[in-house]
Short mmCIF file of all heavy atoms in Angstrom, two decimals:
data_model
loop_
_atom_site.label_atom_id
_atom_site.label_comp_id
_atom_site.label_asym_id
_atom_site.label_seq_id
_atom_site.Cartn_x
_atom_site.Cartn_y
_atom_site.Cartn_z
N GLY L 1 9.53 -182.61 54.53
CA GLY L 1 9.51 -181.24 54.02
C GLY L 1 8.72 -180.32 54.95
O GLY L 1 9.15 -179.20 55.23
N LEU L 2 7.59 -180.80 55.45
CA LEU L 2 6.79 -179.98 56.38
C LEU L 2 7.52 -179.78 57.70
O LEU L 2 7.43 -178.71 58.31
CB LEU L 2 5.43 -180.63 56.60
CG LEU L 2 4.49 -180.55 55.40
CD1 LEU L 2 3.21 -181.34 55.68
CD2 LEU L 2 4.16 -179.11 55.06
N VAL L 3 8.25 -180.79 58.15
CA VAL L 3 9.04 -180.65 59.38
C VAL L 3 10.11 -179.57 59.18
O VAL L 3 10.32 -178.72 60.05
CB VAL L 3 9.66 -181.99 59.80
CG1 VAL L 3 10.70 -181.81 60.88
CG2 VAL L 3 8.58 -182.96 60.26
N ALA L 4 10.76 -179.58 58.03
CA ALA L 4 11.79 -178.58 57.74
C ALA L 4 11.18 -177.18 57.68
O ALA L 4 11.77 -176.22 58.19
CB ALA L 4 12.49 -178.91 56.43
N LEU L 5 9.98 -177.06 57.08
CA LEU L 5 9.32 -175.76 57.03
C LEU L 5 8.96 -175.27 58.43
O LEU L 5 9.11 -174.09 58.74
CB LEU L 5 8.05 -175.84 56.17
CG LEU L 5 8.28 -175.98 54.68
CD1 LEU L 5 6.96 -176.21 53.96
CD2 LEU L 5 8.97 -174.75 54.12
N ARG L 6 8.52 -176.18 59.28
CA ARG L 6 8.18 -175.79 60.66
C ARG L 6 9.40 -175.30 61.41
O ARG L 6 9.32 -174.38 62.21
CB ARG L 6 7.55 -176.97 61.39
CG ARG L 6 6.12 -177.17 60.97
CD ARG L 6 5.39 -178.08 61.92
NE ARG L 6 4.03 -178.19 61.45
CZ ARG L 6 3.40 -179.32 61.25
NH1 ARG L 6 3.99 -180.46 61.51
NH2 ARG L 6 2.17 -179.32 60.81
N ARG L 7 10.54 -175.95 61.16
CA ARG L 7 11.77 -175.50 61.82
C ARG L 7 12.13 -174.08 61.41
O ARG L 7 12.74 -173.35 62.16
CB ARG L 7 12.93 -176.44 61.47
CG ARG L 7 13.16 -177.48 62.54
CD ARG L 7 14.44 -178.24 62.31
NE ARG L 7 14.05 -179.46 61.61
CZ ARG L 7 14.64 -179.98 60.55
NH1 ARG L 7 15.69 -179.40 60.04
NH2 ARG L 7 14.19 -181.07 59.98
N GLU L 8 11.71 -173.71 60.21
CA GLU L 8 11.98 -172.35 59.71
C GLU L 8 10.89 -171.37 60.10
O GLU L 8 10.91 -170.21 59.71
CB GLU L 8 12.14 -172.37 58.18
CG GLU L 8 13.33 -173.20 57.71
CD GLU L 8 14.65 -172.65 58.22
OE1 GLU L 8 14.82 -171.41 58.26
OE2 GLU L 8 15.51 -173.46 58.59
N GLY L 9 9.88 -171.85 60.85
CA GLY L 9 8.83 -170.97 61.33
C GLY L 9 7.59 -170.90 60.46
O GLY L 9 6.69 -170.11 60.72
N LEU L 10 7.52 -171.69 59.40
CA LEU L 10 6.35 -171.70 58.53
C LEU L 10 5.49 -172.90 58.88
O LEU L 10 5.87 -174.04 58.65
CB LEU L 10 6.78 -171.75 57.07
CG LEU L 10 5.68 -171.69 56.03
CD1 LEU L 10 4.87 -170.41 56.17
CD2 LEU L 10 6.26 -171.78 54.64
N GLU L 11 4.33 -172.66 59.45
CA GLU L 11 3.44 -173.72 59.91
C GLU L 11 2.39 -174.00 58.83
O GLU L 11 1.58 -173.14 58.51
CB GLU L 11 2.76 -173.30 61.22
CG GLU L 11 1.86 -174.33 61.81
CD GLU L 11 2.60 -175.44 62.52
OE1 GLU L 11 3.74 -175.20 62.98
OE2 GLU L 11 2.06 -176.55 62.62
N ILE L 12 2.42 -175.20 58.27
CA ILE L 12 1.41 -175.63 57.30
C ILE L 12 0.79 -176.90 57.85
O ILE L 12 1.47 -177.92 57.99
CB ILE L 12 2.03 -175.90 55.91
CG1 ILE L 12 2.67 -174.63 55.37
CG2 ILE L 12 0.96 -176.43 54.95
CD1 ILE L 12 3.39 -174.82 54.07
N GLY L 13 -0.49 -176.84 58.17
CA GLY L 13 -1.19 -177.98 58.74
C GLY L 13 -1.71 -178.93 57.68
O GLY L 13 -1.58 -178.68 56.47
N ALA L 14 -2.32 -180.00 58.13
CA ALA L 14 -2.82 -181.03 57.22
C ALA L 14 -4.00 -180.52 56.39
O ALA L 14 -4.11 -180.84 55.20
CB ALA L 14 -3.22 -182.27 58.00
N TRP L 15 -4.89 -179.73 56.99
CA TRP L 15 -6.06 -179.25 56.25
C TRP L 15 -5.68 -178.30 55.10
O TRP L 15 -6.18 -178.48 53.99
CB TRP L 15 -7.06 -178.58 57.19
CG TRP L 15 -7.79 -179.57 58.04
CD1 TRP L 15 -7.74 -179.68 59.40
CD2 TRP L 15 -8.67 -180.61 57.62
NE1 TRP L 15 -8.52 -180.72 59.84
CE2 TRP L 15 -9.11 -181.31 58.76
CE3 TRP L 15 -9.13 -181.03 56.37
CZ2 TRP L 15 -9.99 -182.39 58.70
CZ3 TRP L 15 -10.01 -182.10 56.32
CH2 TRP L 15 -10.42 -182.77 57.46
N PRO L 16 -4.83 -177.29 55.32
CA PRO L 16 -4.43 -176.45 54.18
C PRO L 16 -3.71 -177.26 53.09
O PRO L 16 -3.92 -177.03 51.90
CB PRO L 16 -3.48 -175.41 54.79
CG PRO L 16 -3.86 -175.35 56.23
CD PRO L 16 -4.31 -176.74 56.58
N PHE L 17 -2.90 -178.21 53.51
CA PHE L 17 -2.20 -179.06 52.54
C PHE L 17 -3.22 -179.85 51.72
O PHE L 17 -3.09 -179.97 50.50
CB PHE L 17 -1.24 -180.00 53.26
CG PHE L 17 -0.30 -180.73 52.35
CD1 PHE L 17 0.95 -180.22 52.08
CD2 PHE L 17 -0.67 -181.92 51.77
CE1 PHE L 17 1.82 -180.89 51.23
CE2 PHE L 17 0.19 -182.60 50.93
CZ PHE L 17 1.44 -182.08 50.66
N LEU L 18 -4.25 -180.40 52.39
CA LEU L 18 -5.28 -181.17 51.70
C LEU L 18 -6.06 -180.29 50.73
O LEU L 18 -6.34 -180.70 49.60
CB LEU L 18 -6.23 -181.79 52.73
CG LEU L 18 -7.40 -182.59 52.17
CD1 LEU L 18 -6.89 -183.80 51.39
CD2 LEU L 18 -8.32 -183.03 53.28
N ARG L 19 -6.41 -179.06 51.15
CA ARG L 19 -7.14 -178.16 50.26
C ARG L 19 -6.34 -177.85 49.00
O ARG L 19 -6.87 -177.87 47.89
CB ARG L 19 -7.50 -176.87 50.99
CG ARG L 19 -8.68 -177.03 51.94
CD ARG L 19 -9.21 -175.68 52.39
NE ARG L 19 -8.22 -174.90 53.12
CZ ARG L 19 -8.05 -174.92 54.43
NH1 ARG L 19 -8.81 -175.70 55.17
NH2 ARG L 19 -7.15 -174.17 55.01
N ILE L 20 -5.06 -177.57 49.16
CA ILE L 20 -4.21 -177.29 48.00
C ILE L 20 -4.08 -178.54 47.13
O ILE L 20 -4.15 -178.47 45.91
CB ILE L 20 -2.84 -176.75 48.45
CG1 ILE L 20 -3.01 -175.38 49.08
CG2 ILE L 20 -1.87 -176.69 47.26
CD1 ILE L 20 -1.77 -174.85 49.77
N GLY L 21 -3.90 -179.69 47.79
CA GLY L 21 -3.79 -180.95 47.05
C GLY L 21 -5.04 -181.24 46.23
O GLY L 21 -4.95 -181.72 45.10
N LEU L 22 -6.22 -180.95 46.79
CA LEU L 22 -7.47 -181.17 46.05
C LEU L 22 -7.58 -180.27 44.83
O LEU L 22 -8.20 -180.63 43.83
CB LEU L 22 -8.66 -180.96 46.98
CG LEU L 22 -8.93 -182.08 47.98
CD1 LEU L 22 -10.01 -181.64 48.97
CD2 LEU L 22 -9.34 -183.35 47.27
N LEU L 23 -6.98 -179.10 44.90
CA LEU L 23 -7.00 -178.18 43.76
C LEU L 23 -5.97 -178.55 42.70
O LEU L 23 -6.23 -178.44 41.51
CB LEU L 23 -6.76 -176.74 44.23
CG LEU L 23 -7.86 -176.10 45.06
CD1 LEU L 23 -7.38 -174.76 45.61
CD2 LEU L 23 -9.11 -175.93 44.22
N VAL L 24 -4.81 -178.98 43.15
CA VAL L 24 -3.69 -179.21 42.23
C VAL L 24 -3.70 -180.61 41.62
O VAL L 24 -3.31 -180.79 40.46
CB VAL L 24 -2.35 -178.95 42.97
CG1 VAL L 24 -1.17 -179.32 42.11
CG2 VAL L 24 -2.27 -177.51 43.40
N MET L 25 -4.17 -181.60 42.38
CA MET L 25 -4.09 -182.98 41.92
C MET L 25 -4.91 -183.27 40.66
O MET L 25 -4.38 -183.89 39.72
CB MET L 25 -4.48 -183.94 43.03
CG MET L 25 -4.25 -185.39 42.64
SD MET L 25 -4.79 -186.54 43.89
CE MET L 25 -6.48 -186.11 44.11
N PRO L 26 -6.18 -182.86 40.55
CA PRO L 26 -6.94 -183.21 39.34
C PRO L 26 -6.31 -182.72 38.03
O PRO L 26 -6.19 -183.50 37.08
CB PRO L 26 -8.32 -182.58 39.59
CG PRO L 26 -8.43 -182.54 41.08
CD PRO L 26 -7.03 -182.25 41.57
N PRO L 27 -5.87 -181.45 37.94
CA PRO L 27 -5.22 -181.05 36.69
C PRO L 27 -3.94 -181.84 36.42
O PRO L 27 -3.64 -182.18 35.27
CB PRO L 27 -4.89 -179.57 36.90
CG PRO L 27 -5.76 -179.11 38.00
CD PRO L 27 -6.04 -180.31 38.84
N ALA L 28 -3.19 -182.16 37.48
CA ALA L 28 -1.97 -182.95 37.28
C ALA L 28 -2.31 -184.35 36.77
O ALA L 28 -1.60 -184.88 35.91
CB ALA L 28 -1.20 -183.04 38.61
N LEU L 29 -3.38 -184.93 37.27
CA LEU L 29 -3.80 -186.25 36.78
C LEU L 29 -4.27 -186.19 35.35
O LEU L 29 -3.98 -187.09 34.55
CB LEU L 29 -4.92 -186.81 37.67
CG LEU L 29 -4.51 -187.30 39.04
CD1 LEU L 29 -5.74 -187.70 39.83
CD2 LEU L 29 -3.56 -188.47 38.93
N LEU L 30 -5.02 -185.15 35.01
CA LEU L 30 -5.51 -185.02 33.64
C LEU L 30 -4.39 -184.77 32.65
O LEU L 30 -4.41 -185.26 31.53
CB LEU L 30 -6.54 -183.90 33.56
CG LEU L 30 -7.87 -184.18 34.27
CD1 LEU L 30 -8.75 -182.94 34.24
CD2 LEU L 30 -8.58 -185.36 33.64
#
């Protein structure tokens, strides 16, 4: 999915993905 986004010109690195994951994952687990 990230490769496809990069092909479209949207660059999302590992750190921003991790920050969002840290915010979204706990409520999803709960």
